[in-house]
Amino acid sequence: MQNGNRINTERLKEARLFRKMTMDELASIVGINKQAISQFENKKTSPEPITLRRMADALRFPYSFFVEGDPQSVIGNTYFRALYSSKKKDLVSQQIKTKYLARIHTILSKKVKFKQLNLPPFDNCESMTIEQLAQSVRQYWELGEAPIPNMVALLERNGIIVGEFSTDSREIDAFYQYYEENGIPTYCVVLGTDKKSFYRRQFNCAHELGHILLHERYSDLNEIDREEFREREDEANAFAAAFLLPADAFGKDVSAYPNRLSHYVELKKKWNVSIMAMIMRAYSLKYLTPSQYAYLMKQMSMNGYRQVEPLDDTVEYKHPRALKQAIELLLTKGNMSGEDIMRFLAANKFSVSANVVEELLDLAQGTLSSEEPSNIVEFPVLIS
């Protein structure tokens, strides 16, 4: 933010994109022209206070949000699997939401103690095969070769921020973003709330972990072509399969009946991974011939398992807990109300509205906002 009466123009633009609003749409609501919005966002001119108030109301952000400074920060790569098939405004909105999620985490860490980032210090990832990397991560986190019951909890236990909010897009299921504030690295994995599948979530989390470990943080993904992007996605998928289904342990299980679909249904109960992912893993490990693999894929289609697999509706999908627990802790043992938490965020130059925080942390509506007291006026007690 510049000196004098200039507003934080970066936040003005972010709030507009957060709400997926075009300059034309904002200008129409506020009653000014598009060029004025462009001049504000590009630091050519500064709006009058009444105009800023109207923009704040239209964007549903507090007025004070736009006159605060920001810490030194860098948004690195955001790995959207639907990078080329999603609308740009949807992608940018999710990127900003994730940045704000990381900001909230950083501020709350002044009050509560989160798990520290605990990524393997592998300086030679590029010299490892994906199989070797997956096995090394398991060893570093002391997982052995056992099935992983909850990938969401595993990421959170190792200091990776996991968020959960609606992406408002069928294409955007899960993604990862690197964020750095005052030189401190933060890794955020965001899970959409639209596809409520435990098994899909397991693979999504492992896939995003693959991006964190395998791929660079800062390169502009818009500068790489579709083929290279697809290669990175394939690498993340291969890592997820190798991490969730270790070659030796899973191989021993699948080798009994590798070409029987019913066998994979039973293995799904143990390995917490979808049938489709297990069949593909069995094929990559050469427990299936090409013809057997093709037969199983045909069986999957005939049985409708490409849409809904057996057991999909029997296991509740797992939710992120760290940020919610932080809020619960402050409310129950920190002697803070919801309004106190919002004031604490504002004191740290992040004056957002309560509904924004509730959305980003997947909190029940009203958790952080004041509610009108009931029964202010009552009938008098009648004494007979």
Side-chain angles (χ1 to χ4, degrees), residues 11 65 68-71 103 107 344-351:
R11 283 196 177 183
F65 179 76
E68 297 170 333
D70 278 319
R103 279 249 63 218
I107 295 171
F344 180 68
L345 292 175
N348 285 273
K349 299 183 178 180
F350 197 62
S351 298

Side-chain angles (χ1 to χ4, degrees), residues 94-127:
Q94 301 311 315
Q95 187 180 55
I96 294 168
K97 285 182 178 182
T98 308
K99 174 187 175 180
Y100 289 177
L101 183 74
R103 279 249 63 218
I104 293 168
H105 179 276
T106 298
I107 295 171
L108 291 180
S109 67
K110 298 178 180 181
K111 286 282 188 181
V112 300
K113 187 176 181 181
F114 292 102
K115 293 290 186 181
Q116 290 188 339
L117 185 62
N118 181 37
L119 290 178
F122 298 147
D123 297 326
N124 59 336
C125 280
E126 294 182 358
S127 64

Side-chain angles (χ1 to χ4, degrees), residues 277-327:
M278 287 190 291
I279 291 173
M280 295 177 72
R281 177 65 167 156
Y283 180 57
S284 71
L285 293 172
K286 303 190 184 307
Y287 288 102
L288 292 169
T289 65
S291 60
Q292 289 173 327
Y293 175 74
Y295 171 77
L296 286 173
M297 289 294 103
K298 184 177 180 180
Q299 289 292 304
M300 289 286 289
S301 296
M302 289 176 58
N303 285 282
Y305 292 172
R306 286 181 178 269
Q307 285 72 44
V308 180
E309 292 186 359
L311 306 177
D312 276 354
D313 59 351
T314 64
V315 181
E316 184 178 354
Y317 74 116
K318 308 302 181 184
H319 299 275
R321 290 293 300 147
L323 284 161
K324 275 189 174 182
Q325 284 181 344
I327 296 296

Side-chain angles (χ1 to χ4, degrees), residues 10 14 17-18 20 74-80 83 87-103 165 167 172 175-179 188 190 217 219-222 360:
E10 186 64 27
E14 285 182 351
L17 295 173
F18 184 102
K20 301 182 184 179
V74 176
I75 296 181
N77 279 330
T78 306
Y79 277 92
F80 294 103
L83 181 66
K87 296 178 181 177
K88 185 176 180 180
K89 70 175 183 177
D90 291 333
L91 300 176
V92 173
S93 176
Q94 301 311 315
Q95 187 180 55
I96 294 168
K97 285 182 178 182
T98 308
K99 174 187 175 180
Y100 289 177
L101 183 74
R103 279 249 63 218
F165 47 76
T167 61
I172 304 173
F175 59 92
Y176 141 69
Q177 177 176 290
Y178 177 77
Y179 175 77
C188 295
V190 173
R217 305 169 188 173
S219 65
D220 186 352
L221 294 181
N222 293 310
L360 296 180

Side-chain angles (χ1 to χ4, degrees), residues 4-182:
N5 64 347
R6 283 197 176 280
I7 65 168
N8 188 331
T9 55
E10 186 64 27
R11 283 196 177 183
L12 177 59
K13 183 177 181 180
E14 285 182 351
R16 178 176 63 78
L17 295 173
F18 184 102
R19 299 298 184 193
K20 301 182 184 179
M21 199 177 289
T22 65
M23 287 187 186
D24 278 329
E25 290 167 339
L26 179 57
S28 177
I29 295 172
V30 175
I32 57 179
N33 58 48
K34 173 185 174 182
Q35 288 71 28
I37 301 291
S38 177
Q39 287 182 329
F40 298 155
E41 292 187 3
N42 289 288
K43 305 179 184 179
K44 302 295 185 183
T45 61
S46 191
E48 292 297 321
I50 187 63
T51 303
L52 180 57
R53 165 58 64 190
R54 289 172 182 162
M55 289 191 291
D57 290 344
L59 295 167
R60 290 174 287 140
F61 275 78
Y63 180 96
S64 54
F65 179 76
F66 301 101
V67 295
E68 297 170 333
D70 278 319
Q72 184 178 4
S73 64
V74 176
I75 296 181
N77 279 330
T78 306
Y79 277 92
F80 294 103
R81 264 170 280 181
L83 181 66
Y84 290 102
S85 59
S86 297
K87 296 178 181 177
K88 185 176 180 180
K89 70 175 183 177
D90 291 333
L91 300 176
V92 173
S93 176
Q94 301 311 315
Q95 187 180 55
I96 294 168
K97 285 182 178 182
T98 308
K99 174 187 175 180
Y100 289 177
L101 183 74
R103 279 249 63 218
I104 293 168
H105 179 276
T106 298
I107 295 171
L108 291 180
S109 67
K110 298 178 180 181
K111 286 282 188 181
V112 300
K113 187 176 181 181
F114 292 102
K115 293 290 186 181
Q116 290 188 339
L117 185 62
N118 181 37
L119 290 178
F122 298 147
D123 297 326
N124 59 336
C125 280
E126 294 182 358
S127 64
M128 292 184 182
T129 67
I130 288 178
E131 292 286 337
Q132 290 170 336
L133 178 62
Q135 188 62 30
S136 296
V137 178
R138 275 184 162 267
Q139 291 173 354
Y140 183 80
W141 283 347
E142 299 180 349
L143 301 174
E145 292 202 331
I148 298 173
N150 186 348
M151 274 297 306
V152 176
L154 179 64
L155 295 185
E156 289 193 312
R157 282 200 305 271
N158 289 285
I160 295 170
I161 300 173
V162 184
E164 176 182 36
F165 47 76
S166 175
T167 61
D168 301 320
S169 171
R170 295 181 62 184
E171 288 79 18
I172 304 173
D173 192 7
F175 59 92
Y176 141 69
Q177 177 176 290
Y178 177 77
Y179 175 77
E180 199 172 288
E181 184 173 314
N182 294 324

